[in-house]
């Protein structure tokens, strides 16, 4: 059967090949410690599940949702953003409900790009940005994220004709895969660079709640003029361990929000009302939960980094997200290194090259297993004897 050109142009689903390798190893009876994925290992708080139960028993929840989502959910989002970030949002014009952050990320190029238009994307970056770009027949232009710049892109190095032609810019802090966090001056610079060049910045705030060492990651919406130019996408997946529930939202520039809503008016009738009610409870009544989650990930991060140091594997502790971006051992590509860890230590990690050319030389480790399993993973890797400077280097 002949697929459409659009379908044929989709990039390979990077995570599905990783999942395939892990499943194959598991089917062979191996006890794989899977640190290759970004799927939170903890359940959503009980209060949220209780509200889903309650609301799903209400016949009103069995009807179609209002097209653009329930007002009660949008009110909870407005209050959450005000409480967390001091950002005011217009209920009607500045909030769009999404089927998880991913759907918004895919919809945006479809809303704003024509064939051949450029979209600025971080490299390394979350692979799904490329999916929407392909669906819109647009073209990605990669912005390298380098350690020397704390994994923030350098707008000065983008050629003027590229900046002029670009329609969208994707950013993501706390960052997947590097764990880097953004600063307010960087967000201010982003807003002015985009205003100057007529680019719509889209800040993917998927790990917004997860900042370590007492630092709260800033929202792009806190930058002066951010709302004049762009939007931020927030998801319930990581902050409240609701990845399977498929619920998130976009906030910010009213023209961009209207475009998303318009496209969605033609595609869906918003989310199951009971999920919207449960998400409202999460935003309004589970504020303390994120702090517990941050403590858990921070503890895992420290445990993991300490154990790595003991075996002579040296990386930088991430300031946010639940990922650690580790260099590969000398002489390996990131894919070969990830394969080695899977085949010989039964530890799955994500090869950095899957996140872009600038990810080569690294692997991404997800802190989505218990401390005990993380220690066991490092122990198994240590036994391979691939790090030669066992315990000698000082930790950066
Ligand atoms: C950087 C980034 N953005 C977006 C998403 C998508 O999240 P959601 O579950 O809201 O679709 C993920 C999920 O892993 C992610 O890592």
């Amino acid at each position: 059967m002949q697929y459409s050109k659009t379908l044929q142009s989709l990039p390979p689903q990077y995570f599905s090949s990783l999942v395939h390798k892990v499943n194959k190893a598991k089917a062979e009876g191996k006890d794989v410690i899977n640190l290759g994925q970004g799927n939170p290992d903890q359940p959503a708080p009980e209060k949220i599940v209780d509200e889903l139960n309650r609301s799903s028993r209400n016949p009103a929840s069995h009807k179609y949702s209002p097209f653009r989502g329930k007002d009660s959910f949008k009110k909870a989002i407005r209050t959450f953003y005000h409480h967390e970030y001091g950002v005011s949002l217009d209920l009607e014009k500045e909030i769009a409900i999404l089927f998880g952050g991913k759907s918004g990320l895919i919809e945006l190029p479809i809303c704003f790009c024509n064939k051949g238009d450029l979209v600025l994307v971080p490299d390394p970056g979350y692979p799904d940005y490329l999916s929407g770009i392909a669906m819109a027949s647009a073209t990605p232009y990669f912005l390298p994220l380098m350690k020397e710049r704390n994994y923030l892109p350098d707008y000065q190095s983008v050629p003027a004709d590229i900046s002029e032609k670009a329609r969208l810019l994707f950013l993501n802090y706390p960052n997947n895969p590097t764990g880097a966090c953004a600063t307010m001056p960087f967000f201010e610079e982003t807003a002015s660079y985009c205003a100057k060049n007529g680019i719509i910045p889209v800040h993917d705030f998927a790990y917004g709640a997860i900042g370590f060492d007492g630092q709260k990651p800033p929202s792009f919406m806190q930058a002066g003029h951010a709302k004049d130019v762009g939007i931020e996408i927030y998801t319930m997946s990581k902050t409240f361990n609701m990845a399977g529930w498929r619920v998130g939202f976009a906030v910010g520039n009213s023209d961009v929000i209207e475009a998303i809503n318009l496209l969605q008016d033609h595609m869906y009738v918003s989310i199951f009302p009971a999920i919207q009610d449960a998400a409202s409870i999460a935003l309004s009544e589970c504020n303390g939960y994120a702090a517990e989650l941050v403590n858990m990930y921070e503890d895992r991060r420290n445990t993991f980094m300490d154990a790595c140091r003991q075996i002579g594997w040296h990386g930088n502790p991430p300031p946010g997200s639940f990922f650690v971006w580790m260099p590969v051992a000398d002489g390996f590509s990131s894919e070969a290194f990830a394969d080695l860890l899977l085949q010989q230590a039964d530890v799955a990690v994500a090869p950095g090259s899957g996140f872009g050319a600038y990810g080569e030389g690294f692997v991404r480790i997800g802190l989505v297993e218990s401390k005990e399993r993380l220690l066991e993973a490092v122990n198994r890797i240590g036994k391979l004897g691939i790090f030669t400077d066992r315990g000698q280097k000082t930790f950066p």
Side-chain angles (χ1 to χ4, degrees):
M1 197 178 282
Q2 183 76 28
Y3 287 169
S4 69
K5 288 205 176 88
T6 306
L7 211 56
Q8 290 179 49
S9 73
L10 293 180
Q13 243 298 357
Y14 168 67
F15 288 107
S16 65
S17 61
L18 195 65
V19 169
H20 178 72
K21 281 186 190 175
V22 172
N23 286 346
K24 188 165 168 280
K26 281 187 182 163
E28 288 162 8
K30 294 183 172 161
D31 169 30
V32 177
I33 303 178
N34 190 356
L35 312 180
Q37 52 179 6
N39 209 347
D41 59 310
Q42 298 294 305
E46 218 168 300
K47 215 172 189 177
I48 301 173
V49 180
D50 287 347
E51 177 60 16
L52 176 73
N53 278 332
R54 190 205 60 76
S55 178
S56 67
R57 290 202 177 86
N58 179 356
S61 292
H62 298 201
K63 298 187 170 184
Y64 290 119
S65 161
F67 263 73
R68 296 183 173 198
K70 292 183 77 164
D71 267 1
S72 51
F73 184 24
K74 289 198 258 182
K75 279 182 188 154
I77 293 166
R78 184 176 62 179
T79 308
F80 176 79
Y81 251 74
H82 195 261
H83 179 262
E84 291 293 313
Y85 305 111
V87 170
S88 301
L89 296 168
D90 183 283
L91 204 65
E92 296 301 323
K93 298 188 180 142
E94 295 179 341
I95 302 172
I97 308 297
L98 304 172
F99 286 78
K102 178 174 161 134
S103 68
L105 296 167
I106 309 279
E107 285 161 7
L108 281 156
I110 299 172
C111 290
F112 288 101
C113 297
N114 294 308
K115 191 169 192 298
D117 282 347
L118 290 182
V119 179
L120 305 181
V121 225
D123 178 357
Y126 181 57
D128 286 13
Y129 302 139
L130 301 178
S131 312
I133 294 174
M135 283 189 210
S137 304
T139 307
Y141 182 89
F142 294 102
L143 302 180
L145 303 187
M146 318 281 276
K147 189 175 166 211
E148 305 78 66
R149 289 186 48 85
N150 292 323
Y151 300 106
L152 301 173
D154 179 8
Y155 300 126
Q156 305 304 323
S157 69
V158 183
D161 60 322
I162 299 288
S163 296
E164 263 167 41
K165 275 191 234 155
R167 293 287 287 134
L168 290 170
L169 158 69
F170 284 112
L171 288 176
N172 159 231
Y173 296 98
N175 184 254
N176 176 8
T178 65
C181 286
T183 58
M184 275 318 287
F186 169 73
F187 278 156
E188 301 281 358
E189 188 196 353
T190 299
S192 15
Y193 166 73
C194 288
K196 182 171 163 232
N197 292 290
I199 299 170
I200 300 166
V202 177
H203 181 233
D204 174 1
F205 207 24
Y207 301 89
I210 309 172
F212 301 136
D213 309 309
Q215 300 294 317
K216 185 180 171 76
S219 156
F220 176 53
M221 289 295 114
Q222 290 171 304
H225 308 297
K227 225 203 273 180
D228 297 340
V229 279
I231 62 160
E232 183 156 83
I233 293 191
Y234 200 96
T235 172
M236 310 299 290
S237 295
K238 319 286 171 169
T239 312
F240 301 101
N241 292 325
M242 295 170 72
W245 297 52
R246 312 311 305 134
V247 53
F249 49 89
V251 298
N253 183 275
S254 56
D255 292 331
V256 181
I257 295 295
E258 176 57 26
I260 294 175
N261 277 330
L262 185 61
L263 181 68
Q264 293 195 152
D265 284 348
H266 289 268
M267 296 181 76
Y268 321 109
V269 193
S270 202
I271 297 169
F272 178 32
I275 289 186
Q276 296 188 51
D277 288 343
S280 305
I281 289 294
L283 293 174
S284 55
E285 294 186 24
C286 299
N287 284 347
Y289 183 67
E292 279 174 39
L293 206 64
V294 167
N295 282 342
M296 182 190 76
Y297 287 130
E298 187 164 336
D299 197 21
R300 288 180 181 179
R301 176 200 67 168
N302 295 342
T303 303
F304 180 80
M305 297 306 300
D306 283 349
C308 286
R309 191 173 38 194
Q310 299 298 318
I311 63 161
W313 192 10
H314 302 284
N316 290 317
S321 83
F322 52 57
F323 298 115
V324 187
W325 191 233
M326 292 296 276
V328 302
D330 286 347
F332 287 88
S333 70
S334 54
E335 183 106 37
F337 186 65
D339 284 345
L340 175 89
L341 298 194
L342 184 58
Q343 282 156 16
Q344 295 193 21
D346 297 335
V347 175
V349 299
S353 52
F355 300 93
Y358 283 84
E360 184 49 79
F362 293 87
V363 288
R364 189 196 73 177
I365 281 120
L367 301 169
V368 288
E369 288 266 9
S370 67
K371 272 201 302 185
E372 293 67 33
R373 291 286 277 174
L374 288 169
L375 282 174
E376 166 68 14
V378 180
N379 190 27
R380 289 185 196 173
I381 295 169
K383 283 191 185 141
L384 301 179
I386 37 180
F387 300 103
T388 47
D389 61 340
R390 200 167 267 265
Q392 285 165 17
K393 266 192 194 169
T394 46
F395 194 54

